[in-house]
Amino acid sequence: MTLSAPARWALRAVMALGLTFIYVPLLLVLINSFNGDRTFAWPPHDLTTRWWSAAWANDGARQALLTSVQAGLGATAIALVLGTMIAFAVQRFRFFGRDTISLLVVLPIALPGIVTGIALDSAWRSVMGDLGISKGMFSIIVGHATFCVVTVYNNVLARLRRTGTNLEEASADLGASGFQTFRYVTFPLIRSALLAGGLLAFALSFDEIIVTTFTAGPGVTTLPIWIFNNLFRPNQAPVVNVVAAVLIVLSVIPVWLAQRIAGPQAGAGRT
């Protein structure tokens, strides 16, 4: 269907309005991180990098950054392993069928974060608490992995749905085992989807706060929690803007890389 010129201009206007609504607040955070005025007077007249120096000198912010990176990498690693195993199970056994497995895997991420957090907290206290294992970095990683696995699996499933089964059937006809078929046929097809899903999972983990609040132990702080704890302290406002700007940049980069990785092969293997 070909749209008329007025309709195309209307769609462009709607898109521009939507992008403005999304990105102007983010740009304001980035600009205010260089605003020399503590009250963030607008437009800024004194652009400076001293708040960035102050943020780097803040031990709490640096430790929160390190904790966020560690949690993101740990949760992503678990998600990649489990996502690969689920993909193998779907392709090899199909004992529930893709749709049923997808429902079971995706359901946890559809729940409100506070519900997931309460459930994880209760499970940790019931199981790990009896073993004398307190909350800390590992509990945060486990909490983040619950939704990171969903992200990786959804990415892999989308790739599997776009690829045909001719190669897998030919491999089976030649006598290859299910594992060999997955290793030499299926895995090369989903490899870029796994990597892209891992990058998206890292970005989600890096930004998460609700589940983290329930799974973090005493004294364990990620960047989002550090921002929330210091958001209403007037003397910390400029540094909070800097940390928020860092969070924005470090969240956008993995998403951009994921699109670059998954895009070129999005239609590979179609039949």
Side-chain angles (χ1 to χ4, degrees), residues 128-193:
M128 298 300 185
D130 293 340
L131 299 176
I133 302 176
S134 59
K135 294 179 182 178
M137 177 60 70
F138 182 68
S139 60
I140 294 178
I141 291 175
V142 171
H144 286 195
T146 57
F147 54 82
C148 286
V149 170
V150 178
T151 304
V152 172
Y153 175 71
N154 279 343
N155 227 45
V156 171
L157 184 64
R159 177 61 54 82
L160 289 175
R161 290 187 184 280
R162 290 196 298 264
T163 58
T165 59
N166 289 352
L167 291 176
E168 296 170 0
E169 293 170 355
S171 177
D173 291 340
L174 292 173
S177 66
F179 177 75
Q180 289 173 325
T181 299
F182 181 80
R183 179 181 178 184
Y184 296 109
V185 178
T186 306
F187 186 75
L189 292 174
I190 66 173
R191 184 165 47 203
S192 61

